[in-house]
């Protein structure tokens, strides 16, 4: 079987004022359908750049991103992104924000009533149907992020890309949203790639954790499989031996073998 | 009114409508109670200070100009001699003898055409300059130079080109008010957050969809700042232009009154112009707040 998503020897460098800085070097990774993969690494290691490459928002310098054996080099709704700061359009209501995506993606294939049902279904999925007529400024940060997830899901993406989706949230809200994401993943089986710098979050949510070395020219240092059964419950896992072992492995990678040295920047 | 609106959103912003805290419910109720004294207070505190200042100014003016050798008329003389103009803004005694309100309306019509064109062309050009680096590099220096040319300097050229006073006046308004619209729109477009652009790229919005659905709403606060400056400038330009081109506008009325030494009429016309300019500014500002509600809040 060929891989669902394949990152094939990707290099990425930015040229700035005659200086070329190499950000990513020789990234090789395959992801199966339905898999939940986290990418973890210290800040500045290029993990967001990697996500942007998969999203097609930035172009690779060498190598290729292959989705179902087809090269992708431009952004599209089949690779929906949930941005760290939600990126909802503040002049539209929650409903209209999702409608913008749905009418663009399904404008030709679904009728008006079907699109409405589809929007409401996705809002229900993130438990935000009650706020459909609110503007982003009127809802909390966690709720905005839920709507951001609903908007991405409403595009019916082949791959859901989460760019540090909970980074700006407080710990409790973050836990709620992690549960929501786990629930959605188990219900829809969506292939998901999540950027994070939170070790617990990575272990809790992922099937595999991709650990990045430090830049410049960062690459994949290690890939850790998380053999925990689903559904996972955070309270039980907090003393689970497999959970702790995985957590320790990631911590060791990040803080012993690839300790972040600020002076290297 | 505005306090009420804020309270409303606060109450609605609670995630679960189940049980809003009692203290908050109480405070809302207390503030919503109708209080005539508070309204009178509020009105007095907004209206009284300007009224006092105006009365004081009139008194000073009256004292300063009441000597028989004074070159300018005092307010009492203005009131007596220009009473017809003040009391009957809408009289109509034939083609050149009409009330000041009619004259203002005719001037406003010119402003509407000139400024309307400036708004449309300005937003389009501003979007182009804000969106494309090369358009900015090419056009921005030209705009920066042209925008400093005073309105009246355009008039001879415009008269030569159009050979008629009315389109010339409209062109002068257009060329005066377009620059702030262009420049502010360009800044607004340049400041559209990268995230919004990424959203539109992921959705594969085409150029037109991006312009209508992302660019214009995102830049709307900037666009309206430009429009507000623009309409102020256009009202400045119309009076100046009409003084030279003639016709029946309010600007020409002042010129005409000067030629026949009717100083009180000029003073009344000045008041009309000031009030109209103020209303125009407020109109654009109000439309702006209405249209851009929610866009500036993060």
């Amino acid at each position: 079987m060929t891989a669902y998503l394949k990152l094939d020897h990707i290099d990425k460098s930015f040229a700035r004022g005659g200086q070329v800085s190499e950000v990513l070097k020789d990234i090789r990774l395959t992801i199966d359908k339905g898999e939940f993969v986290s990418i973890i690494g210290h800040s500045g290691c290029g993990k967001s750049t990697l996500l942007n490459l998969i999203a097609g928002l930035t172009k690779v310098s060498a190598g290729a991103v292959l989705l179902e054996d087809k090269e992708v080099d431009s952004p599209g709704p089949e690779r929906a992104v949930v941005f760290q700061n939600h990126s909802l359009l503040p002049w539209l209501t929650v409903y209209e924000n999702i409608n913008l995506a749905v009418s663009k993606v399904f404008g030709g294939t679904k009728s008006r009533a079907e699109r409405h049902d589809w929007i409401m279904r996705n809002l229900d999925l993130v438990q935000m149907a009650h706020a459909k007529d609110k503007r982003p400024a009127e809802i909390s940060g966690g709720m905005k992020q839920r709507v951001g997830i609903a908007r991405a899901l409403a595009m019916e993406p082949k791959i859901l890309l989460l760019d540090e989706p909970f980074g700006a949230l407080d710990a409790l809200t973050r836990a709620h949203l992690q549960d929501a994401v786990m629930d959605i993943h188990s219900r829809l089986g969506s292939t998901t790639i999540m950027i994070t710098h939170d070790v617990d979050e990575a272990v809790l949510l992922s099937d595999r954790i991709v650990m990045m070395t430090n830049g410049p020219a960062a690459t994949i240092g290690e890939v850790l499989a998380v053999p925990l059964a689903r559904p996972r419950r955070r309270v039980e896992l907090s003393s689970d031996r497999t959970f702790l072992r995985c957590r320790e492995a990631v911590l060791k990678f990040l803080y012993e073998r690839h300790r972040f040295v600020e002076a290297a920047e | 009114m505005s306090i009420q609106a804020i309270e409303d959103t606060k109450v609605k912003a609670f995630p679960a409508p189940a049980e809003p805290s009692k203290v908050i419910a109480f405070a809302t109720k207390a503030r919503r109670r109708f209080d005539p004294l508070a309204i009178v207070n509020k009105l007095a505190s907004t209206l009284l200070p300007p009224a006092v200042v105006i009365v004081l100014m009139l008194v000073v003016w009256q004292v300063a100009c009441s000597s028989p050798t004074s070159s300018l008329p005092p307010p009492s003389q203005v009131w007596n001699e220009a009473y017809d103009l003040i009391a009957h803004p809408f009289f109509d005694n034939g083609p050149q003898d009409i009330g000041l309100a009619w004259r203002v309306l005719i001037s406003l019509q010119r402003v509407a055409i000139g400024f309307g064109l400036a708004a449309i062309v300005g937003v389009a050009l501003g979007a182009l300059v804000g969106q494309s680096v090369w358009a900015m590099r090419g056009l921005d220096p030209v705009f920066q130079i042209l925008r400093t040319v005073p309105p009246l300097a355009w008039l001879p050229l415009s008269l030569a080109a159009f050979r008629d006073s009315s389109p010339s006046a409209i062109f002068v308004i257009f060329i005066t008010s377009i620059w702030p619209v262009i420049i502010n729109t360009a800044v607004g477009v340049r400041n559209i957050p990268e995230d919004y652009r990424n959203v539109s790229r992921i959705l594969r919005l085409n150029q037109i969809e991006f312009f209508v659905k992302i660019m214009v709403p995102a830049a709307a606060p900037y666009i309206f700042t430009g429009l507000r400056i623009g309409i102020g400038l256009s009202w400045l330009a119309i009076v100046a232009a009409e003084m030279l081109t003639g016709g029946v506008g309010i600007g020409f009325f002042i010129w005409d009154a000067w030629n026949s030494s009717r100083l009180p009429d000029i003073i009344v016309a000045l008041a009309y112009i000031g009030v109209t300019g103020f209303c125009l500014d407020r109109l654009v500002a109000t439309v702006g707040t209405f249209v851009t509600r929610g866009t500036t809040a993060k």
Side-chain angles (χ1 to χ4, degrees):
Chain A
M1 190 186 109
T2 54
Y4 192 57
L5 178 79
K6 186 170 185 187
L7 309 183
D8 197 4
H9 298 85
I10 292 177
D11 293 353
K12 176 68 191 174
S13 48
F14 289 103
R16 192 168 38 195
Q19 268 193 327
V20 179
S21 58
E22 209 167 26
V23 181
L24 295 171
K25 176 102 188 130
D26 198 25
I27 302 280
R28 281 167 291 166
L29 184 69
T30 55
I31 292 169
D32 292 332
K33 194 169 183 178
E35 224 183 346
F36 196 118
V37 174
S38 288
I39 299 173
I40 197 166
H42 292 292
S43 54
C45 74
K47 49 190 194 296
S48 280
T49 308
L50 181 56
L51 192 93
N52 283 342
L53 291 174
I54 301 171
L57 292 168
T58 22
K59 286 197 193 308
V60 295
S61 303
V65 178
L66 300 162
L67 179 62
E68 289 181 314
D69 285 334
K70 278 196 284 280
E71 182 171 2
V72 289
D73 61 351
S74 65
E78 82 281 358
R79 280 158 289 130
V81 182
V82 177
F83 297 94
Q84 176 170 12
N85 56 354
H86 65 78
S87 299
L88 299 175
L89 304 177
W91 53 89
L92 299 179
T93 63
V94 163
Y95 182 91
E96 289 164 343
N97 260 292
I98 299 177
N99 188 31
L100 178 69
V102 170
S103 52
K104 182 67 191 172
V105 178
F106 298 109
T109 50
K110 283 188 200 291
S111 72
R112 184 178 279 270
E114 280 170 339
R115 293 202 300 264
H116 172 78
D117 290 345
W118 177 241
I119 294 168
M120 291 316 292
R121 182 127 59 94
N122 280 287
L123 277 173
D124 275 329
L125 207 57
V126 295
Q127 293 149 31
M128 283 301 295
H130 63 90
K132 73 182 178 70
D133 295 324
K134 295 230 167 80
R135 283 170 199 278
E138 297 168 343
I139 59 180
S140 70
M143 292 162 103
K144 281 180 223 175
Q145 205 50 280
R146 282 176 190 267
V147 178
I149 293 170
R151 176 174 66 184
L153 289 172
M155 299 175 204
E156 213 163 41
K158 288 178 177 162
I159 294 199
L160 184 62
L161 302 169
L162 309 174
D163 188 3
E164 291 188 32
F166 316 127
L169 304 175
D170 64 89
L172 282 174
T173 313
R174 183 188 290 218
H176 279 299
L177 268 133
Q178 288 165 352
D179 291 344
V181 166
M182 271 198 288
D183 180 49
I184 289 164
H185 180 244
S186 72
R187 279 210 250 172
L188 305 181
S190 37
T191 313
T192 310
I193 301 175
M194 177 176 74
I195 303 291
T196 184
H197 48 228
D198 181 330
V199 177
D200 286 357
E201 177 172 287
V203 179
L204 180 67
L205 296 178
S206 324
D207 297 313
R208 278 192 298 158
I209 301 174
V210 173
M211 292 173 259
M212 305 271 297
T213 63
N214 284 331
T219 189
I220 294 175
E222 205 174 293
V223 179
L224 177 80
V226 183
L228 288 166
R230 291 180 190 270
R232 299 172 182 174
R233 313 174 74 112
R234 69 176 64 243
V235 181
E236 292 163 19
L237 284 180
S238 61
S239 55
D240 183 283
R241 290 180 61 173
T242 317
F243 181 86
L244 293 174
R245 182 179 55 75
C246 293
R247 190 168 175 272
E248 194 189 356
V250 179
L251 285 171
K252 272 196 174 150
F253 178 90
L254 288 178
Y255 297 103
E256 285 180 8
R257 289 167 48 203
H258 293 276
R259 186 204 296 262
F260 181 49
V261 187
E262 213 131 8
E265 281 286 286
Chain B
M1 168 65 196
S2 65
I3 289 176
Q4 190 130 333
I6 291 167
E7 284 300 325
D8 273 341
T9 50
K10 262 190 190 167
V11 172
K12 274 183 207 150
F14 277 105
E19 33 182 69
S21 120
K22 267 185 186 160
V23 179
I24 285 167
F26 210 60
T28 314
K29 223 176 187 178
R31 250 186 245 177
R32 275 189 191 170
R33 205 169 49 203
F34 180 71
D35 190 349
L37 199 68
I39 292 171
V40 170
N41 259 335
K42 193 163 186 288
L43 271 181
S45 63
T46 27
L47 293 184
L48 214 54
V52 168
V53 169
I54 288 171
V55 169
L56 275 178
M57 278 168 64
L58 286 174
V59 169
V60 170
W61 177 11
Q62 179 75 35
V63 172
C65 297
S66 41
S67 88
T69 56
S70 162
S71 51
L72 292 176
S76 57
Q77 191 190 341
V78 172
W79 177 263
N80 289 331
E81 288 185 17
Y83 180 74
D84 279 351
L85 288 175
I86 299 167
H88 306 290
F90 286 103
F91 71 81
D92 188 350
N93 300 336
Q96 275 303 322
D97 189 14
I98 57 177
L100 281 183
W102 291 121
R103 292 181 187 273
V104 166
L105 281 178
I106 287 161
S107 296
L108 278 178
Q109 202 181 338
R110 287 189 182 139
V111 167
I113 300 172
F115 177 68
L117 285 173
I120 296 166
V121 178
V123 169
L125 274 178
L128 179 70
V129 173
Q131 191 70 345
S132 147
V133 176
W134 284 107
M136 188 187 78
R137 286 182 194 162
L139 291 172
D140 195 55
V142 181
F143 291 163
Q144 296 295 347
I145 291 168
L146 288 182
R147 81 186 171 93
T148 62
V149 174
L152 283 187
W154 290 102
L155 195 63
L157 263 188
S158 139
L159 277 171
F162 294 104
R163 293 167 191 284
D164 189 8
S165 66
S166 198
S168 303
I170 289 170
F171 174 77
V172 169
I173 295 162
F174 170 82
I175 206 78
T176 310
S177 56
I178 196 170
W179 310 113
V181 181
I182 294 178
I183 291 166
N184 279 282
T185 305
V187 172
V189 168
R190 234 172 289 159
N191 281 343
I192 294 175
E194 197 56 35
D195 284 328
Y196 298 172
R197 293 181 188 278
N198 283 343
V199 167
S200 82
R201 287 175 67 195
I202 285 169
L203 289 174
R204 295 206 180 116
L205 298 184
N206 59 38
Q207 291 283 317
I208 295 164
E209 287 168 324
F210 179 70
F211 179 78
V212 174
K213 291 181 175 167
I214 311 263
M215 196 194 281
V216 170
Y222 291 89
I223 294 175
F224 272 97
T225 307
L227 291 178
R228 207 172 152 187
I229 301 171
I231 197 138
L233 288 179
S234 66
W235 192 234
L236 292 182
I238 177 78
V239 175
E242 279 179 351
M243 279 190 181
L244 299 184
T245 56
V248 282
I250 188 81
F252 178 70
F253 175 82
I254 292 179
W255 191 241
D256 196 34
W258 163 247
N259 283 334
S260 41
S261 305
R262 298 193 312 268
L263 287 182
D265 289 8
I266 296 181
I267 290 167
V268 175
L270 286 187
Y272 265 91
I273 291 170
V275 170
T276 312
F278 176 76
C279 292
L280 282 178
D281 182 64
R282 278 305 145 106
L283 178 73
V284 176
T286 312
V287 172
T289 0
F290 180 73
V291 172
T292 62
R293 69 196 186 292
T295 48
T296 42
K298 259 276 171 182

